[in-house]
C-alpha cells in the first residue's frame, strides 16, 4: 500500500524469500552463461518432435516446468520467454539448490497428461506451467492423490482449480493499485466506468478493494453508446476518483462530455491502465491520470544477464518466468524439502522479483506492487517507485 494508508489491512514488514538472493545486476559465472546460452540455442528435444526437454541444476529439490506449445505464434513466443526467464533464474541463483526439469508438450489433453505424468514420476515438489483452463484437469489426473502447488502464467481474472496460483498481473490488478495510490493522495469516493456487462463484473473486484481500503464507491456505471447514462449522472460530482476500465474507448472525450453535463468535484483524480492509446495520452482531460506499471524494473534487475544468455532484451514474460523460479529457489534456500508448503508460499511478507515485490494469496491470486506513472505531454511519466513492501 502507498504512503498515507496506514489504516489499510496490509502492513510493511521485512521481506524474506528472495530478498537475499537477487541483486540489481545478476552476474552468472562463465559456466552459468554457457549453460543458459546452450539452453537458449540448443536445448535437447524429445525425439524428433522439436519439443524441448531439458534439466537444469543439480540440487536435491526437484521442480517441474510444463510448457504447452500453442498453435498461435504470439502464445508460443510468450511461452518461450517464460521458459527462458525460469532457466535464467536456475542458472543464476539455484544450480546447487534445485533441479528443474522442463518439458514441452503439444496442445492436446492426452499429451499434456503424459508429460505431467513424466514430471510426477520424478517426485517434483512444485509445478510451473503455461497450461490453461481444462488442461489442468489432465495435469491433476497425472498426479493422482498427490497434491502439489502449481504456479500458472495466468491472470487473476481467470478461475483456476485449488492449489493453482495465478502469477500474471492484469490491467484490473493495475487499477486496484492505482486506486490505492489515488487514496493515498486523498481520494475517498470513487466511481468506476465499465464498457460492457463482462467488464462490469471485473469492475466489482476493484470496488470491493476500494471499500476494503476504507473508501466508498458508487454503483458501477456501464456505458451506453460510449456515454454515461443520464440517470447515473447524479453521483458524478460526488466522486473524487474516476476509475476507467481498460475497455473504455476515448476516455478523454468521454470525460469531457460528462463533465459538461455535470461539473466534476474539484481535485478529482483519474485512474487508468496501460492500454491508453497515443491520442488518449495526448488528450488534456487525461493529464495527471494515475497509471500503475509492473514492467519497469526488469532491465535493471535481469536485463544484462538475460541479454548475455539469450541475445535479446528481457520481456515482461521473461520477468514472470524468472520471478516464479527465483521465488522457488528462495524458498528452497530457506526451507529445503519443506519449501512448498502453502503457508510458506503465501507468507504475507511476500517476495522480491524482477517485476517488483509480490505475494501469493489464499484463493490462488497474486498481489504485486507497481511503479506509479502519471499521464503528461502525451506519455506515461514516472512519478513514484513501487514501495519495497506490500
Amino acid at each position: 500500500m502507498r504512503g498515507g494508508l496506514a489504516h489499510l489491512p496490509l502492513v510493511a514488514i521485512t521481506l524474506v524469500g528472495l530478498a537475499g538472493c537477487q541483486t540489481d545486476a545478476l552476474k552468472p559465472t562463465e559456466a552459468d552463461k554457457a549453460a543458459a546460452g546452450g539452453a537458449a540455442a540448443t536445448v535437447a528435444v524429445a525425439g524428433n518432435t522439436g519439443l524441448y526437454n531439458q534439466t537444469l541444476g543439480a540440487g536435491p529439490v526437484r521442480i517441474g516446468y510444463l510448457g504447452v506449445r500453442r498453435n498461435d505464434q504470439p502464445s508460443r513466443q510468450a511461452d518461450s520467454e517464460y521458459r527462458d526467464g525460469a532457466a535464467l533464474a536456475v542458472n543464476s541463483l539455484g544450480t546447487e539448490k534445485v533441479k528443474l526439469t522442463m518439458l514441452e508438450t503439444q496442445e492436446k489433453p492426452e499429451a499434456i497428461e503424459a508429460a505431467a505424468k513424466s514430471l510426477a514420476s520424478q517426485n517434483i515438489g512444485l509445478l510451473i506451467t503455461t497450461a490453461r483452463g481444462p488442461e489442468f484437469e489432465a495435469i491433476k489426473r497425472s498426479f493422482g492423490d498427490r497434491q502439489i502447488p502449481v504456479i500458472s502464467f495466468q491472470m487473476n481474472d481467470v478461475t483456476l482449480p485449488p492449489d493453482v496460483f495465478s502469477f500474471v498481473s492484469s490491467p484490473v490488478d493495475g487499477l486496484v493499485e492505482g486506486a490505492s495510490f489515488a487514496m493515498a493522495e486523498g481520494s475517498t469516493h470513487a466511481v468506476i466506468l465499465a464498457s460492457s456487462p463482462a467488464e462490469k463484473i471485473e469492475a466489482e473486484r476493484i470496488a470491493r478493494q476500494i471499500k476494503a481500503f476504507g473508501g466508498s464507491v458508487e454503483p458501477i456505471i456501464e456505458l451506453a453508446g460510449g456515454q454515461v447514462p443520464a440517470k447515473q449522472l447524479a453521483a458524478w460530482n460526488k466522486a473524487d476518483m474516476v476509475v476507467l476500465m481498460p475497455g473504455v474507448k476515448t476516455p478523454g472525450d468521454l470525460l469531457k462530455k460528462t463533465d459538461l453535463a455535470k461539473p466534476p468535484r474539484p481535485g478529482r483524480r483519474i485512474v487508468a491502465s496501460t492500454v491508453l492509446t497515443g491520442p488518449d495520452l495526448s488528450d488534456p482531460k487525461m493529464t495527471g491520470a494515475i497509471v500503475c506499471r509492473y514492467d519497469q524494473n526488469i532491465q535493471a534487475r535481469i536485463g544484462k544477464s538475460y541479454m548475455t544468455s539469450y541475445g535479446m532484451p528481457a520481456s515482461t514474460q521473461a520477468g514472470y518466468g524468472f520471478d516464479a523460479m527465483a521465488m522457488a529457489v528462495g524458498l528452497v534456500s530457506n526451507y529445503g524439502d519443506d519449501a512448498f508448503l502453502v503457508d510458506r508460499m503465501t507468507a504475507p511478507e511476500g517476495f522480491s522479483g524482477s517485476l517488483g515485490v509480490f505475494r501469493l494469496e489464499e484463493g490462488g491470486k497474486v498481489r504485486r506492487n507497481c511503479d506509479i506513472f502519471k499521464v503528461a505531454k502525451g506519455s506515461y511519466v514516472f512519478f513514484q517507485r513501487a514501495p519495497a513492501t506490500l
Side-chain angles (χ1 to χ4, degrees):
M1 292 296 89
R2 305 290 171 175
L5 293 185
H7 64 288
L8 301 185
L10 296 181
V11 295
I13 51 183
T14 303
L15 291 174
V16 298
L18 305 189
C21 299
Q22 298 182 45
T23 67
D24 286 340
L26 297 172
K27 297 181 180 180
T29 65
E30 291 305 315
D32 289 338
K33 291 178 182 179
T42 59
V43 299
V45 297
N48 60 0
T49 63
L51 302 174
Y52 61 78
N53 179 351
Q54 62 182 133
T55 297
L56 303 174
V61 178
R62 304 205 64 150
I63 298 171
Y65 184 103
L66 178 59
V68 180
R69 177 170 290 192
R70 305 295 174 187
N71 293 323
D72 63 290
Q73 183 57 36
S75 292
R76 288 175 68 169
Q77 180 64 31
D79 289 354
S80 174
E81 291 167 1
Y82 288 135
R83 181 192 76 228
D84 290 345
L88 178 64
V90 174
N91 289 323
S92 300
L93 306 173
T95 55
E96 297 180 357
K97 298 180 178 68
V98 302
K99 179 178 286 187
L100 174 66
T101 299
M102 310 181 81
L103 295 181
E104 185 180 41
T105 186
Q106 294 175 332
E107 194 174 4
K108 299 177 182 178
E110 62 273 18
I112 293 170
E113 185 170 356
K117 282 183 178 178
S118 176
L119 292 171
S121 70
Q122 299 180 41
N123 198 34
I124 63 173
L126 173 72
L127 178 66
I128 301 172
T129 183
T130 62
R132 304 172 182 169
E135 294 168 353
F136 287 109
E137 297 176 9
I139 292 174
K140 184 177 180 180
R141 286 195 300 270
S142 71
F143 283 89
D145 294 334
R146 185 166 176 250
Q147 300 294 319
I148 68 167
V150 178
I151 299 297
S152 167
F153 294 118
Q154 298 288 291
M155 292 184 179
N156 281 336
D157 311 285
V158 176
T159 300
L160 295 172
D163 300 317
V164 179
F165 292 92
S166 302
F167 204 72
V168 177
S169 294
S170 70
V172 174
D173 296 323
L175 290 173
V176 170
E177 298 301 327
S180 78
F181 182 82
M183 294 180 71
E185 287 199 325
S187 293
T188 60
H189 194 130
V191 61
I192 305 175
L193 304 183
S195 65
S196 66
E199 199 167 60
K200 189 174 180 180
I201 294 173
E202 294 179 352
E204 292 289 355
R205 179 158 70 92
I206 301 173
R208 289 193 297 270
Q209 289 292 330
I210 292 174
K211 291 174 183 177
F213 297 160
S216 58
V217 187
E218 293 293 327
I220 293 168
I221 297 175
E222 181 183 338
L223 303 178
Q227 297 184 6
V228 175
K231 62 182 180 181
Q232 292 184 280
L233 279 173
W236 190 249
N237 60 358
K238 298 178 183 177
D240 55 9
M241 181 200 320
V242 176
V243 180
L244 299 165
M245 294 298 288
V248 174
K249 306 299 182 184
T250 59
D253 186 54
L254 170 67
L255 292 171
K256 180 179 179 180
K257 291 177 181 178
T258 311
D259 289 348
L260 286 173
K262 188 85 169 184
R265 180 173 167 177
R268 176 191 65 187
R269 294 172 179 85
I270 306 298
V271 178
S273 69
T274 55
V275 302
L276 297 177
T277 66
D280 294 338
L281 292 168
S282 298
D283 194 305
K285 274 290 184 180
M286 295 300 293
T287 297
I290 297 166
V291 179
C292 159
R293 298 187 66 176
Y294 295 107
D295 57 353
Q296 296 305 295
N297 294 319
I298 299 172
Q299 300 308 322
R301 298 301 297 275
I302 65 170
K304 183 178 179 180
S305 298
Y306 193 88
M307 178 66 77
T308 298
S309 297
Y310 301 105
M312 63 186 70
S315 66
T316 303
Q317 286 76 24
Y320 282 124
F322 182 93
D323 287 0
M325 194 62 226
M327 176 190 70
V329 172
L331 286 167
V332 171
S333 296
N334 283 345
Y335 304 112
D337 291 341
D338 296 325
F340 305 124
L341 298 177
V342 171
D343 62 339
R344 286 173 177 162
M345 294 184 64
T346 57
E349 55 267 37
F351 306 91
S352 177
S354 65
L355 287 100
V357 179
F358 64 94
R359 180 181 65 222
L360 299 180
E361 300 184 330
E362 291 185 12
K365 306 300 183 184
V366 64
R367 182 74 184 274
R368 187 172 276 106
N369 268 349
C370 58
D371 293 324
I372 293 296
F373 286 69
K374 290 195 175 184
V375 175
K377 299 180 180 179
S379 182
Y380 298 110
V381 177
F382 176 78
F383 187 77
Q384 179 175 299
R385 189 174 298 282
T389 57
L390 281 161

